[in-house]
Amino acid sequence: GAIPLLMARAPRVDLYFAYYLGQDRFGAWPFLLARLIGGRDWTAEGLAAVLIAATWTSIFPLAWLSRQGVVAVGLCVLVPLVLALPEEVRPYLLDISQPYGWQFAMLAWTWMGLRGLMEARTRPAVWGWGAATTVAAGLTLWMSTSSLPSLIVFLGVEALRARTRGLTGWHRFAAAAIPLVVGGTFERQLRRLYHRFAKRNHGHEFRTIVELDRGHLGENLRQMTALLWTGPVPLAGVLLVLLAIAATWAVRHGRRGWSAWAALPEPAWLALGCGLAALAQLPLLVAVSHVRVNDYSIRYLAPAHALALVALGVLVLAWLAARVSEGVLRAAGALTVVTLAVGALTFRGPPEVKPKHASTRDAALEMARLAPGRLLMGGYWDVFHLAGLQPLASQMVPVPTPEDHQRTAYDTPRVKTASDLVWVQRREAPFQPVPLERVLQGVKFQREPEPWLSVPDYVFWKYVRASTP
């Protein structure tokens, strides 16, 4: 999470900040927006609070799409629980170093825009919904191009729903596809400009290679299938329950044909869209090499897991609304809200800071006191981490080692003009002193004989620019 934090704190912004620092893995517009609204003085906790708030705004479009009062109210409790409780979802959707929370929220808002565009009956309404949907689709795809399969699913579901409600002609359906085309074109052009700018100014394009993983599709399928069954609430189990419900509906009503689709209640359309959007993510994860290269991390399943849980939860809410009296539902809802409110007000967070984090924080604060504003060089896992724990007013300037070119910092040129710098060394066995001399960016620096600061986890060395003859 230190990299997004340092991006929000950066003294200047250029095209290099359009994506996550040193790669085009996901768009950085939330951090740019944070700077615009809240200035530069952010903390990791502050960005995390913004992410949680932004992610939970998905409640409103999902409730609006449900079109049923009891289900809409139930979603106000269901969505936060889906985001905050399952260990297959929470560590990834509510982590500022990951794109999935922002992606989940923007998917919901874009879906709402597609519904509004399909239902608009006046020209101003069509233009208004179209503009809003285009912005939402652009931000969704900028955040992650993996959103495209889910967006196509939402478009297809809304087209089918509109057709069952009497919408004819191809013009409106074509108009609904325009926001996705425009949003995708915008993201593609922005990425192209980002790569060109990064190549010209930093010597690297930072391009993520995403290609069909020929020769490994069978292995990818096996690995992803195994991942589907991991965790206390495995995604495969949720999807199987949804497929069983869909099969039961098809057996009971499928013979009615078009009239069966026309009679489908609104919560069912919401569940259908969420379920199909979750399924649409899976072929992509099997097909691209990026997932295999990153050791089949379970984090790639987090958006699909959240969508599938919402789909199942909506069906449960709709089933309860049809079979339980309104008074009982209101009482249960009020009790749930009160319980959650009491829990939120009484919860004070973890009882203590983890020792490793506390020692790193203390080292970061001490160095900020001793060397405010100086260059801090070393491995990028260390320099970004330490700088992110320092106050903005005395934050050191993190510059990864030249070997860590995939995280090349925008402040690398400052090495050429620095009179001195601090080199951080992690205490790991076997521990060896750092070199007496280093040549960085063509400039020779000499190490002072004694460490500037020595703590249990780190040693900080001062390097001074060598005098020229």
Side-chain angles (χ1 to χ4, degrees):
I3 291 177
L5 175 62
L6 293 171
M7 293 180 73
R9 286 181 172 186
R12 67 180 187 277
V13 170
D14 50 34
L15 265 175
Y16 187 52
F17 289 82
Y19 292 90
Y20 186 88
L21 196 66
Q23 60 176 252
D24 60 357
R25 185 163 66 94
F26 67 87
W29 60 261
F31 318 133
L32 300 177
L33 191 61
R35 289 173 56 94
L36 181 64
I37 296 175
R40 293 176 52 207
D41 196 5
W42 283 93
T43 62
E45 293 81 2
L47 280 183
V50 172
L51 171 60
I52 292 171
T55 305
W56 287 13
T57 63
S58 57
I59 293 169
F60 304 109
L62 292 174
W64 186 84
L65 289 165
S66 73
R67 301 295 173 86
Q68 191 175 113
V70 172
V71 176
V73 173
L75 280 165
C76 294
V77 176
L78 171 67
V79 172
L81 293 180
V82 165
L83 295 173
L85 290 184
E87 67 179 37
E88 303 89 348
V89 175
R90 183 189 66 253
Y92 310 111
L93 264 70
L94 300 183
D95 184 347
I96 61 174
S97 70
Q98 302 297 326
Y100 306 118
W102 312 102
Q103 180 187 12
F104 180 82
M106 293 313 303
L107 282 170
W109 285 105
T110 306
W111 188 2
M112 177 181 175
L114 291 171
R115 171 75 61 85
L117 188 55
M118 287 287 190
E119 293 182 340
R121 292 295 177 263
T122 64
R123 184 177 295 273
V126 170
W127 279 100
W129 279 108
T133 308
T134 301
V135 172
L139 293 176
T140 306
L141 291 167
W142 183 5
M143 176 52 59
S144 176
T145 53
S146 67
S147 303
L148 185 58
S150 296
L151 291 178
I152 293 174
V153 164
F154 294 151
L155 177 62
V157 168
E158 288 307 314
L160 177 61
R161 177 184 174 277
R163 183 67 183 84
T164 64
R165 280 154 175 75
L167 184 63
T168 58
W170 60 272
H171 296 86
R172 182 59 59 82
F173 300 108
I178 291 176
L180 304 192
V181 174
V182 173
T185 303
F186 162 77
E187 194 281 331
R188 182 178 179 83
Q189 289 300 106
L190 181 63
R191 188 183 295 259
R192 183 182 66 84
L193 293 173
Y194 164 80
H195 288 149
R196 189 174 70 179
F197 182 90
K199 178 68 173 179
R200 183 172 65 244
N201 290 273
H202 302 287
H204 301 278
E205 288 187 336
F206 307 109
R207 188 186 301 272
T208 299
I209 304 300
V210 179
E211 57 186 8
L212 182 63
D213 202 13
R214 294 183 178 89
H216 298 89
L217 295 179
E219 174 66 10
N220 293 349
L221 179 60
R222 186 183 70 81
Q223 293 283 357
M224 295 308 298
T225 302
L227 277 183
L228 289 174
W229 288 104
T230 58
V233 188
L235 176 56
V238 179
L239 291 175
L240 286 176
V241 172
L242 291 173
L243 290 173
I245 295 172
T248 302
W249 177 87
V251 170
R252 292 181 177 178
H253 306 285
R255 295 179 181 178
R256 292 166 51 198
W258 201 250
S259 61
W261 287 100
L264 204 64
E266 296 292 357
W269 286 106
L270 177 58
L272 177 66
C274 287
L276 291 178
L279 284 173
Q281 294 283 322
L282 303 184
L284 184 66
L285 299 180
V286 171
V288 299
S289 59
H290 185 71
V291 177
R292 176 177 57 84
V293 171
N294 286 273
D295 299 323
Y296 304 102
S297 173
I298 196 174
R299 71 174 184 268
Y300 295 116
L301 293 174
H305 213 131
L307 288 166
L309 288 172
V310 170
L312 183 58
V314 165
L315 293 177
V316 171
L317 288 172
W319 183 86
L320 290 173
R323 288 163 177 79
V324 180
S325 67
E326 188 174 349
V328 172
L329 288 174
R330 286 181 176 178
L335 179 61
T336 302
V337 170
V338 170
T339 302
L340 291 175
V342 171
L345 292 174
T346 56
F347 180 68
R348 293 294 179 265
E352 59 184 14
V353 178
K354 294 181 179 179
K356 179 71 174 178
H357 175 74
S359 62
T360 304
R361 179 197 59 199
D362 293 343
L365 294 177
E366 181 63 14
M367 280 310 304
R369 184 186 67 82
L370 294 173
R374 277 189 168 90
L375 293 180
L376 177 65
M377 295 195 69
Y380 74 84
W381 286 108
D382 296 322
V383 296
F384 289 147
H385 187 186
L386 291 163
L389 292 170
Q390 295 171 339
L392 177 62
S394 56
Q395 176 189 303
M396 302 178 73
V397 180
V399 181
T401 62
E403 293 79 14
D404 290 328
H405 67 270
Q406 75 273 32
R407 293 291 186 276
T408 301
Y410 45 89
D411 284 307
T412 299
R414 291 184 57 174
V415 177
K416 296 182 179 180
T417 60
S419 59
D420 57 50
L421 57 87
V422 178
W423 191 278
V424 56
Q425 179 187 23
R426 189 182 299 207
R427 284 189 182 273
E428 292 178 334
F431 181 79
Q432 298 178 351
V434 297
L436 290 172
E437 291 185 349
R438 289 183 183 272
V439 178
L440 304 167
Q441 299 296 316
V443 179
K444 181 184 290 187
F445 289 87
Q446 295 177 334
R447 174 174 65 80
E448 292 190 344
E450 297 297 328
W452 197 341
L453 177 67
S454 181
V455 294
D457 297 320
Y458 298 99
V459 178
F460 297 88
W461 302 90
K462 183 177 181 179
Y463 277 83
V464 179
R465 188 186 190 96
S467 58
T468 56

